[in-house]
Amino acid sequence: MMGGVNLAEAIARMGPGIHKHKGFWAVDRAELNDNLAPASPSQTRQRPERSHWIFDSMPLTLQQLERHLFKAADILRGKMDASEFKEYIFGMLLLKRCSDVFEQRKAQVIAQEMAAGKSKADAEFSAELRRWYGQSFYVPHTSSWDFLVNEAHQDIGGHLNRALGGLESNNASLAEVLEHIDFSRKVGQSKIPDIKLRQLITHFSQHRLRNEDFEFPDLLGAAYEYLIGEFADSAGKKGGEFYTPRSVVRMMVRLIKPEQHHSIYDPCVGSGGMLIMAKEYIDEHGGDGTKADLCGQEANGTVWSIARMNMLLHGISSADLRNEDTLAEPQHVENGELMRFDRILANPPFSINWGTSDLDRNGESVWRPQFRAERYAYGEVPLGSKKADLMFLQHMVAVLRDGGQLATVLPHGVLFRGGEERTIRGGMIEHDLLEAVIGLPANLFYGTGIPACVLVMRKRKGQRSGKPPERQGKVLFINADREYFEGRAQNLLLPEHIEKIADTFDAFAEVPGFSAVVSNATLRENDYNLNIRRYADNAPPPEPHDVRAHLQGGVPKTEVQAKAALFNAQGLDPMALFLERDAAYLDFNHELSSRQAIKPAIEANPGLLAREQAVRDAFAAWWQAHSPRITALAGATSLVGLRHDLLQSFSEALEPVGLLSRFQVRGIVAGFWFDAKYEFMTLMARGAKGVVDAWRTSVLTTLDDEQHKGNPLDHKLVKCLMADFIQTLADLDARKTELDSQIKAATPDKRADEAEGDESDAAETGDDAPAVDEAQLKAWKQQLAALKKQIKAEQKGFVQRLNEAVDALDEAGAADLLLTVIQRDVAVILERYVAAQRQQVVLAFEGWWDKYRVTLTDVERARSASNALLQRFMEGLGYGR
């Protein structure tokens, strides 16, 4: 029952309000709301421009909010590009959020005042006083969302500008953050039309944005980060100005390991992603990231405001972000001195100008950066040159606290260019500041396809090196330019790549073909050249070719022995596919008569199957022992320790099997953690039933979204909870396809009748006769019609079945379902890694087949046969006699 009206009755009275979408039946929410409305006017609540209030009791999920924000962007898309309209979307989001939170606090104040004996009118008057809103935003009447909904019908841009201005002027934390957003400014030759702005207001009215409306507390911050990433992707090259791919940021944060008591600084803060990721790392390791001392500076005013909003929407009100050119005017100054920081993370703009070569009327440079001697003590590149990279690095070193650590992205050119840059590198190396040089893959960053590197540096402690004793006088080189997954537009660092880089750095280890430890003395001998391949060359060895094998056949035993580590890991004895040819060569066994026979033979190998099953058994045992830790999160307040425990125990369980490398094993858990993190947050906030409810909402959102291309049957909740339903639909669809094919094959092609001379041809061949008699064809058509009705009936009942299945779950049942779904998710990742390893074995044997199966003798024999055939043909034509 809802508002005195039964849901089923409301649906029944709707008629055309029920419509079909993506093969399933969906309900028009606006019409459903009207039919759910109470009959008595006194019971009716006002619903200005809201069509989704039937779902108010359901928490807003991350997928819902992401789609909601992306659709808001779609309203403006086309009128301007992403680099222009992002600030409008961010401004609307912040305005709606502040208004909703203010209204919540205002209602609490009114209730509190009335409980103290005041009349409702007096309580409402008191609730307008600013003193009640010290820990939250104060929203004046003309900035409230209700005012915009009810009053902003003309000059909507002006209304929105005044609303933002009122919000900013009444809240010190928003000072100068919103003033650059102008809804009335011209875009091209015209302003954004009122109809578009009204659509934005209507769109943002669909969801209330209070904390209790979210599936987990940091939902708004997570969705904001998603939107920043989407805008960066849409903006292309301009996206690199404010966004660093989050996989790169996660890796950098792992390297320097910030803690709650650290001061953390980003001199080129962009949208704030590095500071946000540092905050999340602190949270995951037992601290409170909102209490960390987060600081940053950004030259671009619009991007700076985006970063400020990012912090606020993540619940970080204390972040100290300044707006100015870092190279010229560092803003973090205290008592006339540069502030110092424990950790620094940065991705400065690549190769921008270092100042300007312009002179004033006295012939002196107009470029006069503050604290010049202190910050650029190792030297300067020529003024006006596009080589400011090492100037950014010097600034970071200068503001590091003694023993502090930094990680920064820089272009490869800084590693080996000569001149002043060589002098700067040499000074830093001689002071033992450089700890690691990490080469990254190409095409990771927006705006440039060139490969970049990460430098890790540690500040000296007085006259001593700040590095641990075992690292002093040394630099670790890591060549990770082959560690990536090729994405649609950008390459990606996967969790296994991050684990490999971070673990190698933590161990300061030499890994053949991946990393090398080089002394400062060697770097000095090499004129401070830091070219990564010079020290850690990861070029694959050349493909071996055995001349005798090419001439006479056979696979060299030496090549097979070189793959011994791969075969041992897979549990495969290569002699299961080979025969002894002689002391130095092998032949493929007789069962392998073609290249196509290799893969099935390997996949059926008992040793390989046993090793793969051992991995699955180890995973099953690990899951049995450690999965209760996941459901124990329900009602917990922190994820502290869980990631480490899962990572450590998973590694201990699967590494001894030997099939997967240590980095692959750890990458599986890291990837699973990244994918499931927000579900864990929902589990903590709302229990297992809350997670399942959020999944259900995602399925219904997919159905409701006309633009979403996803199939609701592909959702993991539906696959797990409604497997019988999916199978029934699959069986019906298979039978429908079969009947379609039978009817098509039995029906004459009418188009053939239009072709000239068709009738005579048909008379001669009998092709005009149907393959079956008319009675059978009619029966098939009747069966097909009935089948289509049955499929429609099944699809129409999908939502009802889903709701019944979810509603039937208690907390224990939901917890069991949650573990089943997560176990399947991890198993899918594991199987992907196992299949990839198996494919390496297949490729090795197929490579030997391609190289050596056809010998020179075979080629000569085939050539002789072809020559003989050609000779006979020519003789048949009368030539060559």
Side-chain angles (χ1 to χ4, degrees):
M1 299 290 291
M2 203 169 192
V5 179
N6 184 279
L7 179 61
E9 294 175 1
I11 294 175
R13 65 167 81 150
M14 283 174 57
I18 302 179
H19 62 281
K20 194 173 184 182
H21 175 48
K22 299 177 185 174
F24 295 89
W25 290 88
V27 177
D28 184 274
R29 291 181 175 181
E31 188 164 349
L32 180 56
N33 289 338
D34 292 339
N35 283 286
L36 283 170
S40 171
S42 63
Q43 293 178 297
T44 304
R45 64 168 177 164
Q46 190 175 1
R47 307 185 301 274
E49 300 198 39
R50 298 186 67 192
S51 60
H52 293 61
W53 63 266
I54 186 174
F55 293 93
D56 280 355
S57 61
M58 297 183 183
L60 190 63
T61 68
L62 180 58
Q63 182 189 20
Q64 270 185 301
L65 187 53
E66 288 175 349
R67 293 298 308 157
H68 175 67
L69 296 177
F70 199 71
K71 282 185 174 181
D74 285 341
I75 293 173
L76 296 179
R77 208 181 304 275
K79 182 69 178 175
M80 60 191 86
D81 62 36
S83 64
E84 294 177 305
F85 66 63
K86 62 181 183 298
E87 59 192 81
Y88 299 121
I89 303 302
F90 293 149
M92 294 288 282
L93 176 63
L94 185 65
L95 189 61
K96 181 64 164 64
R97 164 68 170 175
C98 290
S99 183
D100 286 351
V101 173
F102 174 80
E103 291 298 331
Q104 180 183 32
R105 174 60 181 155
K106 183 177 178 180
Q108 292 171 350
V109 171
I110 292 172
Q112 179 181 329
E113 291 287 87
M114 291 179 66
K118 289 187 177 182
S119 67
K120 183 176 181 181
D122 288 342
E124 289 177 345
F125 178 82
S126 177
E128 296 294 335
L129 301 176
R130 287 185 178 84
R131 65 185 179 87
W132 296 107
Y133 305 95
Q135 299 301 315
S136 59
F137 294 106
Y138 179 80
V139 181
H141 176 64
T142 55
S143 297
S144 71
W145 199 259
D146 283 344
F147 179 84
L148 292 172
V149 168
N150 296 317
E151 303 297 332
H153 296 287
Q154 293 181 341
D155 184 26
I156 299 177
H159 276 286
L160 289 170
N161 288 342
R162 290 187 288 275
L164 292 176
L167 187 64
E168 186 176 71
S169 62
N170 281 277
N171 298 276
S173 62
L174 291 175
E176 301 179 334
V177 172
L178 305 174
E179 65 182 13
H180 72 282
I181 303 176
D182 182 2
F183 284 94
S184 297
R185 75 177 176 88
K186 281 190 174 182
V187 179
Q189 295 183 338
S190 62
K191 298 190 299 183
I192 303 175
D194 276 355
I195 188 172
K196 289 284 188 183
L197 296 178
R198 190 67 200 175
Q199 286 175 348
L200 273 182
I201 293 174
T202 302
H203 181 77
F204 274 98
S205 298
Q206 293 176 5
H207 295 296
R208 198 176 63 184
L209 302 179
R210 301 177 184 177
N211 285 345
E212 64 265 30
D213 300 319
F214 303 151
E215 63 169 322
F216 58 83
D218 196 29
L219 180 78
L220 203 59
Y224 189 84
E225 278 284 295
Y226 157 82
L227 196 59
I228 291 173
E230 288 294 321
F231 282 150
D233 194 33
S234 300
K237 184 174 182 178
K238 291 182 180 179
E241 296 177 3
F242 60 87
Y243 186 80
T244 302
R246 293 307 179 242
S247 59
V248 177
V249 180
R250 276 193 296 275
M251 183 267 292
M252 294 170 66
V253 172
R254 282 284 307 278
L255 297 177
I256 66 171
K257 301 176 177 55
E259 299 177 16
Q260 181 179 321
H261 65 274
H262 285 153
S263 55
I264 306 162
Y265 173 63
D266 183 349
C268 309
V269 74
S271 60
M274 291 200 178
L275 297 182
I276 294 295
M277 204 69 73
K279 176 256 185 193
E280 292 180 354
Y281 181 90
I282 293 169
D283 290 340
E284 290 178 0
H285 289 77
D288 183 351
T290 61
K291 295 180 180 179
D293 184 11
L294 304 178
C295 303
Q297 186 166 331
E298 172 58 43
N300 184 301
T302 299
V303 175
W304 168 80
S305 69
I306 291 173
R308 286 286 301 273
M309 286 188 275
N310 199 4
M311 297 296 153
L312 293 171
L313 293 175
H314 275 89
I316 307 171
S317 58
S318 60
D320 181 6
L321 306 185
R322 316 267 180 106
N323 178 207
E324 190 50 79
D325 181 354
T326 300
L327 291 179
E329 299 182 54
Q331 296 294 295
H332 291 85
V333 178
E334 199 169 61
N335 299 322
E337 295 184 357
L338 291 167
M339 294 171 59
R340 300 298 193 270
F341 305 95
D342 298 297
R343 296 289 185 270
I344 297 178
L345 292 157
N347 178 16
F350 286 2
S351 303
I352 64 171
N353 287 343
W354 165 239
T356 174
S357 57
D358 294 344
L359 304 177
D360 62 18
R361 72 177 87 186
N362 297 320
E364 297 181 0
S365 172
V366 299
W367 176 249
R368 297 165 187 165
Q370 298 176 3
F371 302 96
R372 189 169 193 163
E374 182 179 355
R375 292 194 294 150
Y376 308 123
Y378 293 99
E380 294 188 27
V381 297
L383 287 175
S385 65
K386 291 183 175 295
K387 297 180 179 179
D389 310 290
L390 289 185
M391 308 312 290
F392 275 113
L393 181 62
Q394 287 192 83
H395 165 78
M396 293 180 231
V397 170
V399 299
L400 261 184
R401 187 164 283 138
D402 285 358
Q405 199 173 19
L406 72 85
T408 182
V409 179
L410 290 174
H412 266 235
V414 304
L415 302 178
F416 50 78
R417 286 196 295 249
E420 293 82 357
E421 289 178 291
R422 177 261 180 209
T423 302
I424 296 170
R425 282 197 309 272
M428 291 182 169
I429 291 170
E430 291 301 335
H431 279 94
D432 204 22
L433 300 179
L434 184 60
E435 189 166 4
V437 181
I438 302 169
L440 298 178
N443 202 32
L444 278 182
F445 299 90
Y446 293 99
T448 178
I450 65 172
C453 64
V454 170
L455 300 188
V456 181
M457 308 190 78
R458 209 182 288 250
K459 188 71 171 284
R460 294 173 67 84
K461 295 180 179 179
Q463 299 301 312
R464 297 179 294 108
S465 172
K467 300 179 188 176
E470 67 277 10
R471 300 188 180 192
Q472 292 179 9
K474 303 172 185 175
V475 176
L476 175 67
F477 286 82
I478 297 177
N479 195 343
D481 64 5
R482 295 181 181 274
E483 306 295 324
Y484 67 91
F485 173 80
E486 189 171 344
R488 177 176 56 86
Q490 306 284 139
N491 290 332
L492 305 171
L493 287 180
L494 296 181
E496 68 176 275
H497 305 137
I498 297 173
E499 290 297 324
K500 186 173 183 179
I501 294 169
D503 280 12
T504 303
F505 174 79
D506 290 344
F508 213 69
E510 290 193 326
V511 178
F514 184 68
S515 66
V517 176
V518 181
S519 69
N520 288 350
T522 301
L523 297 178
R524 187 184 308 116
E525 292 171 3
N526 291 332
D527 200 29
Y528 306 114
N529 188 316
L530 303 179
N531 191 311
I532 299 170
R533 281 190 180 272
R534 187 167 191 162
Y535 308 105
D537 188 0
N538 65 351
E543 180 68 28
H545 285 274
D546 186 287
V547 175
R548 178 187 159 183
H550 278 300
L551 294 175
Q552 301 180 9
V555 177
K557 289 184 178 180
T558 53
E559 291 190 26
V560 177
Q561 291 165 359
K563 299 281 187 181
L566 173 64
F567 299 147
N568 291 338
Q570 294 291 138
L572 181 138
D573 179 2
M575 293 309 297
L577 286 84
F578 284 129
L579 297 173
E580 192 85 24
R581 182 185 181 107
D582 55 38
Y585 293 87
L586 302 169
D587 278 327
F588 285 96
N589 66 31
H590 301 307
E591 287 78 15
L592 299 179
S593 58
S594 67
R595 188 180 191 274
Q596 290 69 31
I598 293 175
K599 184 176 180 181
I602 291 173
E603 291 175 340
N605 181 267
L608 181 141
L609 292 174
R611 184 61 55 85
E612 291 183 354
Q613 188 59 45
V615 171
R616 298 184 186 101
D617 293 343
F619 167 65
W622 172 82
W623 182 259
Q624 184 72 23
H626 294 277
S627 59
R629 284 291 313 276
I630 295 174
T631 49
L633 284 174
T637 58
S638 173
L639 290 169
V640 176
L642 180 60
R643 182 184 186 279
H644 177 268
D645 290 350
L646 294 179
L647 194 67
Q648 191 66 30
S649 60
F650 192 77
S651 296
E652 292 172 353
L654 268 70
E655 281 181 36
V657 177
L659 177 62
L660 301 176
S661 72
R662 177 169 181 260
F663 303 122
Q664 289 173 317
V665 170
R666 295 174 71 86
I668 291 171
V669 176
F672 148 67
W673 178 268
F674 178 72
D675 291 340
K677 180 175 68 173
Y678 293 126
E679 289 167 348
F680 291 161
M681 291 181 178
T682 304
L683 178 61
M684 289 193 299
R686 298 182 177 271
K689 193 71 163 63
V691 177
V692 177
D693 281 338
W695 287 340
R696 167 170 57 181
T697 303
S698 295
V699 175
L700 297 178
T701 300
T702 301
L703 275 174
D704 189 56
D705 190 346
E706 296 286 347
Q707 296 179 352
H708 198 283
K709 297 179 181 179
N711 186 342
L713 297 184
D714 292 335
H715 194 281
K716 55 189 175 184
L717 172 66
V718 179
K719 285 183 176 181
C720 193
L721 193 60
M722 303 177 67
D724 292 343
F725 175 82
I726 293 175
Q727 187 59 52
T728 298
L729 275 184
D731 292 343
L732 291 173
D733 193 59
R735 178 56 182 154
K736 174 177 170 291
T737 301
E738 181 183 357
L739 283 172
D740 275 332
S741 299
Q742 290 175 332
I743 293 170
K744 186 176 180 180
T747 303
D749 187 354
K750 295 180 180 179
R751 290 174 300 177
D753 297 338
E754 301 173 5
E756 187 176 349
D758 245 13
E759 292 182 2
S760 58
D761 292 341
E764 293 175 8
T765 62
D767 286 347
D768 60 336
V772 295
D773 59 38
E774 287 296 330
Q776 180 63 72
L777 187 60
K778 183 178 180 180
W780 281 345
K781 290 182 178 179
Q782 290 174 342
Q783 292 175 28
L784 181 61
L787 199 59
K788 288 180 178 179
K789 288 183 179 180
Q790 187 179 356
I791 291 173
K792 286 183 180 180
E794 292 288 341
Q795 292 173 335
K796 187 174 181 179
F798 170 73
V799 173
Q800 180 178 349
R801 291 192 185 193
L802 175 64
N803 286 330
E804 288 174 351
V806 172
D807 292 340
L809 296 170
D810 57 13
E811 182 64 21
D816 289 341
L817 176 64
L818 172 65
L819 289 181
T820 300
V821 170
I822 293 178
Q823 183 182 19
R824 289 184 179 184
D825 287 347
V826 184
V828 167
I829 299 174
L830 178 63
E831 287 299 327
R832 188 165 65 239
Y833 277 84
V834 170
Q837 286 297 103
R838 185 191 315 128
Q839 183 63 17
Q840 292 300 312
V841 176
V842 173
L843 290 175
F845 280 90
E846 288 180 344
W848 288 322
W849 182 282
D850 294 340
K851 279 199 297 184
Y852 301 129
R853 179 66 176 180
V854 179
T855 67
L856 179 61
T857 303
D858 295 330
V859 173
E860 290 176 338
R861 186 182 302 115
R863 185 185 64 183
S864 298
S866 298
N867 283 338
L869 181 62
L870 177 60
Q871 183 64 32
R872 289 196 298 272
F873 178 74
M874 297 298 290
E875 289 177 354
L877 294 176
Y879 298 97
R881 293 178 180 175

